[in-house]
Amino acid sequence: MRDDDSRFSSASFFSNFWSSALRAKTLPSSKDNHSLRTDGLIRRLGLFDLILLGIGASIGAGIFVVTGTVAHDVGPGVTISFILAGASCVLNALCYAELASRLPAVVGGAYLYTYTAFNELTAFLVFAQMMLDYHIGAASIARSLSSYVVTILELIPFLRDNIPSWVGHGSEEMFGAVSFNILAPVLLVLLTLILCQGVGESSMVNSLMTVTKVVIVIVVIIIGAFKVDVSNWTPFVPNGYKAVFTGATVVFFAYVGFDAVANSAEESKRPQRDLPLGIIGSLLICIVLYIGVCLVITGMVPYYSLGEEAPLAEAFTSKGLKYVSVLISVGAVAGLTTTLLVGLYVQSRLYLGLGRDGLLPPIFAKVLSHILSVGSLTGYSVVSACVITLRWTDKPASQASARWQPNRMEGILCLVIISCCGFGAGLFYRLSAALAFPIIAIVIAVLAIGSLFFRQAYIGPPGFSCPWVPVVPALSILFNMFLFAQLHYEAYLRFVILSILAIFIYAFYGQYHANPSRSNEKIVYHRAPTEEVQ
């Protein structure tokens, strides 16, 4: 009897697991989107605040460091790397903009979109992958920020050479792995306290710091333009286009930040209008700034002479412009501060969304306030797929023939094929396989896109509409997966291990506490007393 009971219990567990995993949120109606939620979130962010939020999340010290370090390997062609990564992000941003406009009333971003378009387990996996990006990023950014802060403090004569390395630069490693940095956690706590004051106060700090760093970047580009020697741009792609594509994967994370705008849905004054504009506007500004810095740094000095630690600062120093190096340090502090602040903000909103839905303990529903690209590429691909699936309708794609009846499972299979073909083409390219192999993979992907276009019926969403659906979202998935294939094997290992861990957490906690019907409840927002919500 015990064996029978054990088999019955095991079968019951897996049955409940799959039935829970396949649950999905009901798409809120337009009326729900404009209704109001009593969770303490205030609608205080206007369009300008949202644009600065996206820029603040994307433009960090990376613009002063990553541009140079990648240029050292790619050459002046790093500009193409940033253009390719930016083009991929534009496709992703168009998909984000539609969903942010369609679901503007609830916090959650990519997690919420996946929960609505697909199912509970997929949404939880997307959350886990993207959240690890934010956690690892926050730790590394805090460490870099502390180092830059100490560098600026050391400009004061009586502090120079008197600040111990363990305060901000990090002590020497113990046992080959452990290094102490006291200032990094202090800065994390300070920024968390700022977030605890409310979105208005944290947005004001972000706006001030973001404007400061953008002005500094523009000044650096203008000054550097007068020191450009165009002969340094020849050859433009010295190490071939494979290095350019690898560089595009590395710099992809430099653009990650526009999804922070989508996660501010509950605090936007006019979400359906401002969220799409904030997402796309902030991304386009970042693309222009990155391209400008790339052209300047590779034009000032030969790419092979660029340093590894502070390439942009060293380039200006070599031209006798040491004061610009100090300006770059100030810009790096401002950039890292806003990147870290917005990263903590997005983390709190994602945890808030899962806490409300019961996938994490209720404490998370309270508002207290190289491998990195893997989570973003995964999350952005799923968001692009969400745009397609949420547009599907049961009406026949062609009234002339019953053969052209829309089929959801067929559509999902096409999305999987596109993802696999994108990854396969990228892997073949990375391994220098015969050109026929990536071409075959791309041809199969095009056929799958054609199937999505001709065999599915689509409806136009309210608010902002991503153009050329399903072609644009499908191309976004294809390009994301191509870049995913360029990542180091450690990224794949991280992806698999984290996915398995997330499934265990969901199986033993999330499935029993999730409440997808929460999306049908009336949502009430607080708003600032003097501000009108439209």
Side-chain angles (χ1 to χ4, degrees), residues 370-393:
H370 187 38
I371 64 172
L372 284 178
S373 295
V374 64
S376 300
L377 287 168
T378 303
Y380 291 175
S381 298
V382 175
V383 167
S384 298
C386 289
V387 170
I388 296 175
T389 59
L390 290 175
R391 290 272 203 107
W392 283 339
T393 178

Side-chain angles (χ1 to χ4, degrees), residues 8 43 58 83 111 140 227 234 302 343 364 418 442 457 471 531:
F8 177 78
R43 289 187 176 274
S58 300
I83 292 174
Y111 153 75
S140 61
K227 297 294 183 178
T234 305
F364 291 102
I418 293 169
I442 292 174
V471 177
E531 295 170 340

Side-chain angles (χ1 to χ4, degrees), residues 150 153-163:
V150 170
L153 290 176
E154 287 176 340
L155 294 175
I156 303 173
F158 70 86
L159 290 178
R160 185 177 304 161
D161 300 326
N162 290 323
I163 301 178

Side-chain angles (χ1 to χ4, degrees), residues 467-530:
W468 304 313
V469 172
V471 177
V472 166
L475 290 177
S476 175
I477 296 171
L478 186 67
F479 199 19
N480 288 343
M481 289 297 100
F482 185 93
L483 293 178
F484 189 97
Q486 312 307 312
L487 295 172
H488 196 269
Y489 76 92
E490 291 176 351
Y492 307 145
L493 187 63
R494 180 212 113 163
F495 180 82
V496 172
I497 293 175
L498 183 59
S499 296
I500 294 173
L501 180 61
I503 291 173
F504 271 100
I505 295 174
Y506 174 81
F508 293 101
Y509 182 87
Q511 67 165 319
Y512 300 112
H513 297 85
N515 185 12
S517 63
R518 288 289 298 274
S519 61
N520 294 324
E521 297 177 1
K522 186 175 181 181
I523 302 174
V524 179
Y525 289 99
H526 290 302
R527 58 182 176 182
T530 59

Side-chain angles (χ1 to χ4, degrees), residues 97-342:
E98 175 174 318
L99 295 179
S101 175
R102 193 170 185 177
L103 300 171
V106 194
V107 72
Y111 153 75
L112 170 69
Y113 308 150
T114 309
Y115 204 165
T116 304
F118 291 103
N119 55 61
E120 197 168 279
L121 179 58
T122 304
F124 191 76
L125 290 172
V126 167
F127 161 80
Q129 293 292 343
M130 297 194 76
M131 187 53 65
L132 185 60
D133 275 4
Y134 281 113
H135 282 309
I136 295 176
S140 61
I141 291 170
R143 187 178 181 88
S144 297
L145 177 58
S146 64
S147 180
Y148 272 106
V149 169
V150 170
T151 298
I152 290 179
L153 290 176
E154 287 176 340
L155 294 175
I156 303 173
F158 70 86
L159 290 178
R160 185 177 304 161
D161 300 326
N162 290 323
I163 301 178
S165 60
W166 52 265
V167 172
H169 291 302
S171 63
E172 294 184 3
E173 290 187 354
M174 298 173 59
F175 310 109
V178 180
S179 176
F180 293 100
N181 186 322
I182 301 301
L183 188 56
V186 171
L187 292 172
L188 277 171
V189 171
L190 288 176
L191 291 177
T192 301
L193 291 175
I194 292 174
L195 280 173
C196 291
Q197 300 304 310
V199 69
E201 290 73 10
S202 56
S203 176
M204 182 172 62
V205 173
N206 175 71
S207 298
L208 177 63
M209 302 292 273
T210 299
V211 170
T212 299
K213 70 179 177 183
V214 169
V215 170
I216 290 176
V217 170
I218 293 174
V219 170
V220 167
I221 292 174
I222 293 174
I223 296 175
F226 290 98
K227 297 294 183 178
V228 167
D229 180 357
V230 294
S231 65
N232 289 326
W233 290 337
T234 305
F236 200 72
V237 186
N239 298 318
Y241 280 95
K242 182 176 290 187
V244 170
F245 278 105
T246 302
T249 305
V250 175
V251 304
F252 182 89
F253 194 75
Y255 287 113
V256 173
F258 60 82
D259 58 328
V261 181
N263 279 282
S264 63
E266 290 192 18
E267 289 141 304
S268 172
K269 295 177 184 176
R270 302 171 183 85
Q272 286 192 305
R273 186 202 72 170
D274 290 351
L275 290 178
L277 293 175
I279 290 170
I280 297 174
S282 62
L283 177 59
L284 293 178
I285 292 172
C286 291
I287 291 174
V288 172
L289 293 177
Y290 274 120
I291 291 175
V293 171
C294 287
L295 290 174
V296 165
I297 193 173
T298 55
M300 289 180 66
V301 296
Y303 73 93
Y304 49 80
S305 299
L306 292 171
E308 294 290 334
E309 296 296 327
L312 191 60
E314 291 174 11
F316 278 94
T317 301
S318 68
K319 296 294 184 178
L321 301 172
K322 193 170 184 179
Y323 70 95
V324 180
S325 300
V326 177
L327 198 62
I328 289 172
S329 296
V330 174
V333 169
L336 285 168
T337 300
T338 57
T339 303
L340 186 54
L341 182 67
V342 176

Side-chain angles (χ1 to χ4, degrees), residues 403-481:
R403 292 189 303 109
W404 301 102
Q405 288 287 340
N407 185 302
R408 180 178 175 85
M409 290 307 300
E410 179 184 312
I412 291 177
L413 178 60
C414 288
L415 293 173
V416 172
I417 290 174
I418 293 169
S419 300
C420 293
C421 287
F423 182 80
L427 199 58
F428 288 136
Y429 181 81
R430 178 181 178 180
L431 298 177
S432 300
L435 185 61
F437 289 103
I439 290 178
I440 291 172
I442 292 174
V443 168
I444 295 174
V446 170
L447 293 175
I449 295 173
S451 177
L452 285 174
F453 185 83
F454 291 108
R455 291 184 57 83
Q456 302 292 329
Y458 300 88
I459 56 175
F464 179 86
S465 176
C466 176
W468 304 313
V469 172
V471 177
V472 166
L475 290 177
S476 175
I477 296 171
L478 186 67
F479 199 19
N480 288 343
M481 289 297 100

